[in-house]
Amino acid sequence: MKLRNYAFIDSQNLNLAIRELGWRLDFQRFRVYLRDKYRVDKAFLFLGYLPQNTELYTSLQEAGFICVFRPTLTHKDGTTKGNCDAELVLQAMIELANYDKAVIVSGDGDFQCLAKYLHEQGKLAALLIPNQDKYSALLKFDIFKPYHRFVSDLRAKLEYTSKKKNPRKDATLEGKTSIGDTPKLTHSAKDFKRRDGHLPKEAL
C-alpha cells in the first residue's frame, strides 16, 4: 500500500540554521529529497510574507511546496519576523486524517507537543532537524531519538550553488530557489497567488 506522507516545514528555523553552518539549502533538491526519502506527497512550507519576495514564493511553489503565509512584523532594528509556529501545528492537526506519517522539519522546541502527539498516534515519520549541534533540548527526549534526522548531514546532496541550474521534471532549467535570494521582481504582489488559489491578505 502506498503511504501518503506530509511534511511540515518551519522555513525560518531551517533557513537560519543552515546559513549559520555556512551554506545555503537548495529548496528544489530538498523537495526531491523529501519525496524520495520519506515519500512526501505534500510539503507545507510555513513562512512570513514579504511582498518583495513574490518571485521567490512562486519559485518555491514551482518546486512543489505548498506555501502557508503569516504576516511579518518589522522591529525597530529593521529586522523582520514571521512566527509560524501556531500555523504549522494547526495545519498538521487539520490534515491529520489525510496523511499516514508526518515529517516535521525544525529544531524548535515549540513543536515538542506536536511531535509527542504524532508519536503517540503512530503518525511521526521523522524529526528532520536542521543543525545536529544546535536544537532545542525539548526535542532531545528519549522518545524522539529514533526519529532524529539531520539536514546538516546532507550538505553534499542539498547545498545550493548559484553556478548551477537544476532541471525541472520537464527537463527545462529552473532558476534560483534558495530563501534569501533577492531576484529582480517580475510580478507585483497582486499577481501572486498561493497554490490554493488565494491571494495572501497582504497583497490585497
Side-chain angles (χ1 to χ4, degrees), residues 38-184:
Y38 297 105
R39 302 181 184 179
V40 168
D41 182 58
K42 291 185 178 182
F44 293 89
L45 186 69
F46 298 82
L47 67 171
Y49 179 80
L50 294 171
Q52 64 267 32
N53 288 341
T54 55
E55 185 170 332
L56 171 61
Y57 304 148
T58 299
S59 181
L60 289 167
Q61 291 181 338
E62 289 176 349
F65 293 98
I66 300 172
C67 294
V68 181
F69 297 99
R70 179 173 175 81
T72 56
L73 296 175
T74 301
H75 300 294
K76 292 181 180 180
D77 62 1
T79 60
T80 58
K81 183 172 177 61
N83 194 320
C84 300
D85 295 358
E87 281 77 7
L88 191 154
V89 173
L90 178 60
Q91 192 73 42
M93 296 308 296
I94 289 173
E95 300 285 348
L96 188 65
N98 298 326
Y99 58 83
D100 297 300
K101 299 278 186 177
V103 177
I104 300 175
V105 183
S106 182
D108 191 333
D110 288 346
F111 301 116
Q112 191 251 22
C113 59
L114 175 62
K116 183 174 182 292
Y117 181 77
L118 293 174
H119 162 72
E120 292 169 347
Q121 301 301 310
K123 287 208 165 195
L124 185 59
L127 280 171
L128 192 51
I129 296 167
N131 186 346
Q132 184 173 6
D133 298 321
K134 188 178 179 181
Y135 62 100
S136 174
L138 294 174
L139 299 178
K140 295 180 180 180
F141 293 166
D142 288 344
I143 64 168
F144 299 131
K145 288 181 179 179
Y147 301 104
H148 284 178
R149 308 291 185 273
F150 301 100
V151 182
S152 51
D153 291 336
L154 302 172
R155 182 170 184 172
K157 290 183 178 180
L158 301 180
E159 184 173 13
Y160 171 85
T161 60
S162 60
K163 294 180 180 179
K164 294 181 180 180
K165 290 187 176 181
N166 303 311
R168 289 176 175 157
K169 292 180 182 179
D170 62 3
T172 60
L173 291 176
E174 179 65 48
K176 295 181 178 180
T177 310
S178 176
I179 289 180
D181 286 332
T182 54
K184 182 178 179 182

